[in-house]
Amino acid sequence: MPDTVIDLRSDTVTRPTPAMRAAIQAAEVGDDVFGEDPTVNRLQEKVATLLGKEAALFVPSGTMSNQICVKAHTQPGDELLCEASCHIYVNEAGGPAALSGVTCRTIEGDYGVLDLSELEDKIRPVNDHQVRTRLVALENTHNRGGGRIFPLEKIAAISSWAHRQGLLMHLDGARLWNAIVATGIPGIEWAEHFDSVSVCFSKGLGAPIGSALAGSREFVTGAKQAGMAAAGALFALEHHVDRLAEDHRHAQVIAQAVADTPGLLLDPPEVETNLVFFEVDPDLGSAKDVATVLKQRGVLVHLPGPQTIRACTHLDVSSAQAERAAEIIRQAVPQVVPAGERGV
Ligand SMILES: Cc1ncc(COP(=O)(O)O)c(C=O)c1O
């Protein structure tokens, strides 16, 4: 092998540039389940804006993005219409069948491009014996079609027909960025014909991982699931498993403070890992009353129920902080004014 390799295998072999690595390193992060990851939020907003959709969701891969969309648009037993060599049908391990219970009715295209006339007779009649035709999935640019751009007029014609027939439209836009640059037609004009659009950052754009799906807010909420950055996950798996024992020790410190505090009851009584659940005696007040006094002193807890509190130890809680939280529980909770004395 010569010293310099020109790797033409795929646009997925790209490696992050030094600037991208620096950006990843400097990324602001937060808890995405609480909607508090500023980098994920910024990315999702940007994608939604570029595609003219209400919302977007960052996911690890293009396959996952497509399959989430198929799942969110269909019911088991439905059928989708797609081009015979498209990625969703050929390269996603039977995902529509395996994950959504959906059959694919394939139509041979012209390098991936379909014409409305080839779809018009493919909707099954409404009949108890037949599958329900529900979704049309197109790919742009088309991978197996050799990077072919799906002409916008053809998309517009298919989309208005599909919507008139009560079908939904999905775009596998793994390389929509290439179609945008090659034609000068902005993303919004492509995306307006689809109920959902999937785009990838890990192909030509050169990010190490990641895709996004976009659509209406309702659709994206229905599609939502935990997004994760593989590099972070891998590092965590290699470096952060053994240290969980530390979190468990910290949870014991907090659990002891709860056990020592009148009006609080550990439930379950034994804490085995990093989650400390406890109940607040209604005579003392509500979980919110207790959480409020803790918050005033700088301790944040989660409230899974009106009388229930969860304290969770993790990587960002040091031994000193666990001790301090325990001390605050011991000192502050007795200062909650009991409900009876408040005249409640
Ligand atoms: C057109 C198309 N859609 C979807 C995907 C899936 O992307 P991922 O490899 O991130 O799952 C690919 C991957 O090459 C693709 O070419």
Side-chain angles (χ1 to χ4, degrees):
M1 187 96 87
D3 287 349
T4 316
V5 174
I6 301 175
D7 190 342
L8 304 179
R9 286 174 299 171
S10 172
D11 48 7
T12 56
V13 302
T14 50
R15 280 169 289 190
T17 61
M20 187 185 285
R21 284 176 194 267
I24 291 168
Q25 192 180 9
E28 277 183 276
V29 294
D31 189 324
D32 186 45
V33 174
F34 289 122
E36 290 174 359
D37 188 316
T39 306
V40 170
N41 290 347
R42 218 177 309 133
L43 175 66
Q44 291 177 164
E45 281 157 23
K46 190 169 178 125
V47 170
T49 304
L50 283 169
L51 298 176
K53 299 294 184 197
E54 285 176 357
L57 179 69
F58 179 54
V59 293
S61 77
T63 299
M64 180 183 276
S65 186
N66 280 330
Q67 295 301 326
I68 290 170
C69 291
V70 170
K71 177 98 182 155
H73 284 313
T74 58
Q75 295 294 322
D78 285 352
E79 181 173 72
L80 68 78
L81 303 178
C82 63
E83 199 280 325
S85 63
C86 75
H87 200 276
I88 286 181
Y89 177 61
V90 179
N91 299 107
E92 299 190 4
L99 304 172
S100 304
V102 164
T103 51
C104 294
R105 188 171 191 183
T106 58
I107 301 123
E108 209 75 47
D110 174 24
Y111 293 101
V113 173
L114 294 171
D115 188 78
L116 172 59
S117 58
E118 296 165 300
L119 291 165
E120 276 171 324
D121 61 346
K122 300 297 185 300
I123 297 179
R124 311 267 182 193
V126 177
N127 178 308
D128 285 350
H129 297 283
Q130 305 227 0
V131 294
R132 179 178 72 147
T133 311
R134 181 62 178 150
L135 180 66
V136 177
L138 305 180
E139 187 173 311
N140 190 24
T141 64
H142 202 287
N143 187 350
R144 289 295 179 98
R148 180 105 186 262
I149 297 166
F150 212 120
L152 189 58
E153 338 60 88
K154 283 188 184 288
I155 290 176
I158 293 171
S159 171
S160 63
W161 162 80
H163 286 133
R164 276 199 313 276
Q165 302 299 322
L167 306 185
L168 297 166
M169 293 283 296
H170 171 70
L171 174 64
D172 176 355
R175 295 179 180 80
L176 182 62
W177 313 114
N178 299 80
I180 291 169
V181 170
T183 60
I185 299 170
I188 245 172
E189 289 184 36
W190 295 103
E192 69 174 345
H193 301 291
F194 295 91
D195 300 286
S196 58
V197 178
S198 170
V199 290
C200 293
F201 312 110
S202 56
K203 313 258 164 356
L205 300 196
I209 185 172
S211 294
L213 59 94
S216 68
R217 195 167 302 286
E218 191 188 350
F219 173 78
V220 171
T221 302
K224 187 159 187 172
Q225 60 172 304
M228 64 186 113
L234 190 57
F235 184 89
L237 210 49
E238 288 170 349
H239 300 279
H240 293 168
V241 175
D242 291 346
R243 64 149 303 286
L244 292 174
E246 202 179 311
D247 296 343
H248 301 170
R249 281 196 298 279
H250 294 162
Q252 292 298 332
V253 170
I254 289 169
Q256 191 57 54
V258 171
D260 292 344
T261 303
L264 303 183
L265 184 70
L266 281 173
D267 186 23
E270 300 299 329
V271 171
E272 298 182 345
T273 57
N274 67 328
L275 300 177
V276 184
F277 274 78
F278 53 99
E279 294 292 310
V280 178
D281 186 333
D283 286 345
L284 175 66
S286 66
K288 199 170 168 200
D289 295 331
V290 172
T292 302
V293 297
L294 294 178
K295 188 175 178 183
Q296 282 160 358
R297 290 157 180 83
V299 175
L300 303 181
V301 288
H302 180 56
L303 310 181
Q307 297 303 129
T308 311
I309 293 182
R310 188 188 75 174
C312 170
T313 54
H314 52 76
L315 185 62
D316 288 347
V317 177
S318 66
S319 299
Q321 286 173 323
E323 296 286 353
R324 176 85 186 120
E327 193 182 311
I328 287 172
I329 289 170
R330 286 194 172 87
Q331 287 172 0
V333 173
Q335 290 172 26
V336 174
V337 180
E341 291 172 31
R342 276 185 276 146
V344 179

